[in-house]
Amino acid sequence: MVAEPAQDQSVQELEDKQEWWWVAEKKRSKRLDYLRKSVWKKGALGGNYAPGIKLDLECATLFTDMWKFWKYDPIMMRRAKAIAHVLDNKTIFITDHSQLVGYFGSLPNTIMWRVDGASMVNEEAYNEPGIMPEPENESLQKVAELNDYWAGQTAVDKVARILDPEDAVKFLSGAIGWGAPSSAYGYSGKDYEYLFAGRRGFEDIIEEINAAVENAEDKTVGVPGPEILDIYDRLQNWDAMILVLEAGIRHARRYARLARTMAENMETDEKRREELLKIAETCERVPARAPRNLQESLQYDHFIQIFARTEAHEGAWPARPDYYHGPYYDKDVNVDKTLTKEEALDLVGEFMIRAYEVGGFAPRWAREGLQGITGTWVWTLGGVNKDGSDACNDLTVAFLQAARLVRVSNPTFGFRWHPKVKDEVLRECFECIRHGLGYPSMRNDPLLIQNAMHWHGHPLEEARTWVHQACMSPCPTTKHGVQPMRMASATANCAKMVEYALHNGYDHVVGMQMGPETGDAAKFHDFEELFQAWVKQMEWLTSLLVRTVNLGRYKDPEFFGRPFLSGMSERSVESGLDVVSPVGDRGNCWVTAFTWVENIDSLAAVKKLVFDDKKYTMEQLLSALKANWDGYEEMRLDFVNNAPKWGNDDDYVDDIMLRCLRETARHSRVMKCPSGNSWPILPENVSGNIHYASIVGALPNGRRCGDALYDGGISPGPGLDKKGPSAVLKSCGKIDHVSDGRAFLLNQRLSPTQLAGEKGYQLWKAYIRTWADLGLDHVQFNMVSDETLRAAQKDPEKYSEVIVRVAGYSAHFVDISRKTQDNIIQRTVQGI
Amino acid sequence: MSTCAECRSFFLREDEPGQGDCVRRVVDPRQAFYQSKPVREDNDASGCESFQKK
Ligand code: SF4
C-alpha cells in the first residue's frame, strides 16, 4: 500500500525537502490520485509477484477453446478466431473515475498468460507460488490441462525443434543470451504513420483490405500460372485480419454498452454520468473510425495496444504519443477550447496509468532481468518532423508534466533532443529528472537519424519518424521502416566473450564447451593472441544468437501468426502477408549487448598487468580466476585498482574499447537479417547485470562470480570512474556513435543538491550541450541522494514511491532486489 | 429454475435477441469497478451466488 504523506506539510516544505513523491500526491487531481493508487502493480518485486496478483485463466481458456475448435484452419485464421472469441467473451471492467478503458486481462489484478508461447513458460506458470486464482486446486487443475494441451505445440516449441541441436542446447543453457525466438514474446513496432498520420480507423482498413481481396480474387479466376498460387494464402490472411479488426470494433462497443448501462442504471452523480456517456460515445467511435478529439485519440491508441497484447506477449511499447496525439490536444485545448489544460492533463496522466497497469506472466529470468516492471515501455517524445523542423508541441509538455504527477515507473520517456528544442521544453525534461524519475533519457536526435540511415538505409524522412523500439533502439514508424517483430533473444551476455577467450571456449559455470576452442590462454605470448581469441568468441556468440532469431523470424508466420498486427500495417494490408514476414521490411535489427564493458576492463587489465608490466603470468591469472579469486585477494585488488578502467579518459583502455567495438561492427555487417540488413550491436543492460551475476565467472577486472556486473551499456563500472563527469563524456565521445554500433547506453548519477534551483538547470543544460557536442547518443540520470536511497532500504513503505533509473528503464526503488539497490547506490555521484 | 433474465444484474442487448450482459459492482482491495460479462437470458442462474431477483 502507498503510505500517506504528512498532511500537515505544505507543498513548498515537501519541495524543499525534495520529497517529490509527496509533492505529486498533493498536486495531482483527485481523479489521478485515485487511479494511480488503484493500480495493481504487475512488475515483480525483485523476482516475485506482489500478493494479490493472479494468473488470468479466463483469457487463456477462451483462447484455447476456440483454438481447439478451429483445428483445421490455417494459423492466421485460427489465431484470429481465437482472439475474436477472447475479445467477445472475456470479462471487461470500468474503474471508478476512469475516462479511458481497456485492459488485456479479465480483472484489474490479473496477469495475462500467453498460453501458446512456450511450454517452458507454461510450466513455470504452474509452479509459480501465490498466483493461482481461488479456488487454487481448481485453478491448478485448469493450468495443468492447458499445459497438457499446449505441450510441444507452442510457438517456441516449434522453433526449438528445427534449430541446430547444438545451437539449441547452448542457447537454452541460459548462459549466453535470453529471450525467445518467436513473435509470441517480441517487441512489435506499430505503423503509426498508416494509422494516425493516415487518420484511419478499423473500418477504413477493412475497406482497403476488401479492395485488395477483390483485386486478388479477380486473379484467382483468371489465367492460370505460378504467379497466382500464393494469392490463396494471402486471401486467408486478409480474411483473418478483417475478422480480428471486426472483433476489435465489437470489443470497444462492449465498453460503450457497459458505460451506458452504468450511466443509465447505476450512476447517481450527474458529472460522472456525463463522463460515462462520453466514454460510451468514444468507444462507439474508436477504433471503428478515426478519432476526432484527444480522448478518442488516446483511447484508440490504447485499444490498439491492448489488442496487440491479446495476440502476443509484447515486451516493449514503441510509441510517440506527443507527435501522434498532439494535433488533437491542440484542437481541443487551444482551438476549440473544449478541454482545459487541467482536464487534458487528467487524460494524459490516465493514459500513462492505463499502460502502467498492463502486465503479463513472465518467466523468472525475465522478471529478474526487468525487476519492478513488466516490459520496457519507453515512449518517445520530442524530436523533429519529417521536414526536420522541431516536433515538440504542447502535448510534449503535458506528458512531461503528467509524468511528475503520476510518477509511474512504466512507461518512461526517451526524449529526442536536438539543437532547436525550446528552452521551456528542455526545462520540463530537467524537472522530471530533478524530481528523481530517472526519465526522460536524453537521445541525440540528429546523430540517431544519421545512425538509422547508416546501418539500415532508412531514407531521411523515414528515419526522422523514429521511436524507441524497446529501451534504446531507434526504429521508424513507416510502411517499410517499422519493425513488426524484434525478438529479444538476440541479447548477448557479452562478458562471456572474454571469459571464453580465457578458458578456451569452456564455460566453468555451466560446465560445458560453449565457444570455439581458441587456444590455451596460459600459452598466449602477447595481448594480440588474447585479443584474437576474443574476436573469435565474439563472432561465435553473436552469430549463434542471430542465427536463432533469423530462423524464428522467418518461420514465425508459419509457427505463430499475427493477424491483428498485420491489420495495423500498410505493408500487410496491401500485400496480404503476415506482418512478421520480412518481405518489404527494410530490416532494423540489433544485438543487445549486455555486460559489455567487462570485456574492455578485463582485456585492459590483462594487457597491463600480465603482458606489459609482467607483474603476473597468465598461469597465475587463470588459477586465480578458476579459484574465483579466492586466496588471491591482494592480486585481485591489484587488478581492480592498478589496471586502467574505462570512463577515465585514458587512451590505454579507451583504445581497447574502440578496437572491440570496431571488430564487432565489422562482424555486424557480415551477419544479415532476413531482409538482408546488418546486425549492429547496442550495449545496454536492463537489470541483466544482476540476473547474470552468478552465471558469469570470475573476470580479470577483479570481479568475482556472484558479484553484480556493471550497470551496462558504455557506463563505467560503479565507482571506477574516478576522474569526474567530463572524463566519462570524453571516453564515451571517442566512440563513433554512428558507425560503431546502434546506440550506447550511459548511466550517470547527479547530485540533487548541486542541481537545485535555476543554477542547477543551467549546469545541467551546459552538461547536455557538451554531451551533444562530443557526439554521444544517449544519457540518463539518477538524481536521488544516497541518503534517500538508504532511508528507503530501511523504511520501504515510507519511500514506496521513490523511482530510480535501473538501466534502459526506471523502477520503484522498493521493487528491485537488494543487490540491484546496492548496485545503484554504488554508482559514482558526479558533480558537474 | 431461475434464469439470468430474472436477475438484477442482467441487461438485455437491444440488437442481439436472447443475449445480454451481466453487469456487477466489484470492490477489490485496490479499486472499485463495474464488470461486464456476456450471458444469455435463458442461462440457468440456480448455481449463481450473485443472483438477485429483479
Ligand atoms: S450470471 Fe449470475 S449475477 Fe450474472 S446475470 Fe446471471 S444470475 Fe445474475
Side-chain angles (χ1 to χ4, degrees), chain A residues 272-347:
Chain A
R272 182 61 184 156
R273 266 171 53 81
E274 276 173 31
E275 286 174 5
L276 287 165
L277 292 172
K278 176 86 176 164
I279 291 174
E281 189 190 317
T282 301
C283 296
E284 276 152 7
R285 172 79 191 183
V286 294
R289 283 178 291 155
R292 299 163 298 188
N293 55 46
L294 184 64
Q295 184 166 343
E296 288 179 359
S297 192
L298 297 174
Q299 182 64 71
Y300 182 37
D301 195 351
H302 190 66
F303 274 138
I304 289 171
Q305 304 297 337
I306 292 299
F307 300 157
R309 283 164 173 77
T310 304
E311 180 171 88
H313 181 118
E314 295 198 348
W317 197 307
R320 197 179 175 193
D322 60 337
Y323 185 77
Y324 290 109
H325 304 301
Y328 299 103
Y329 179 99
D330 187 49
K331 177 177 165 288
D332 289 4
V333 176
N334 300 327
V335 181
D336 296 348
K337 300 196 192 310
T338 47
L339 271 186
T340 65
K341 277 191 176 176
E342 291 68 31
E343 286 166 340
L345 210 54
D346 256 17
L347 279 171

Side-chain angles (χ1 to χ4, degrees), chain A residues 435-463:
Chain A
H435 284 213
L437 293 179
Y439 60 88
S441 61
M442 303 302 285
R443 308 304 310 272
N444 191 333
D445 202 34
L447 195 136
L448 286 163
I449 289 169
Q450 218 185 321
N451 180 302
M453 295 167 73
H454 170 84
W455 279 105
H456 297 121
H458 296 293
L460 179 60
E461 279 204 355
E462 182 173 287

Side-chain angles (χ1 to χ4, degrees), chain A residues 531 534 538 596 599-600 603 655-665 681:
Chain A
F531 186 75
W534 181 89
M538 174 274 292
W596 173 258
N599 288 286
I600 315 310
L603 289 170
D655 285 348
I656 293 176
M657 170 66 96
L658 299 186
R659 275 194 82 185
C660 288
L661 283 174
R662 283 164 195 172
E663 281 296 335
T664 311
I681 67 158

Side-chain angles (χ1 to χ4, degrees), chain B residues 4 7 9-10 22 24 39 45 48 50-51:
Chain B
C4 283
C7 177
S9 301
F10 182 80
C22 166
R24 287 192 287 135
V39 283
C48 179
S50 306
F51 176 80

Side-chain angles (χ1 to χ4, degrees), chain A residues 566-632:
Chain A
S566 300
M568 297 292 95
S569 148
E570 184 176 8
R571 195 159 52 77
S572 291
V573 167
E574 204 174 275
S575 67
L577 292 171
D578 182 330
V579 68
V580 182
S581 156
V583 177
D585 175 13
R586 212 177 299 284
N588 186 301
C589 292
W590 75 94
V591 175
T592 303
F594 280 8
T595 62
W596 173 258
V597 176
E598 280 77 359
N599 288 286
I600 315 310
D601 282 0
S602 294
L603 289 170
V606 182
K607 183 172 192 292
K608 173 86 176 131
L609 296 175
V610 177
F611 294 116
D612 289 0
D613 295 356
K614 304 202 186 321
K615 206 168 170 187
Y616 304 97
T617 64
M618 279 304 279
E619 284 92 340
Q620 281 173 307
L621 174 62
L622 293 173
S623 301
L625 296 177
K626 279 180 191 150
N628 197 22
W629 292 105
D630 203 9
Y632 295 84

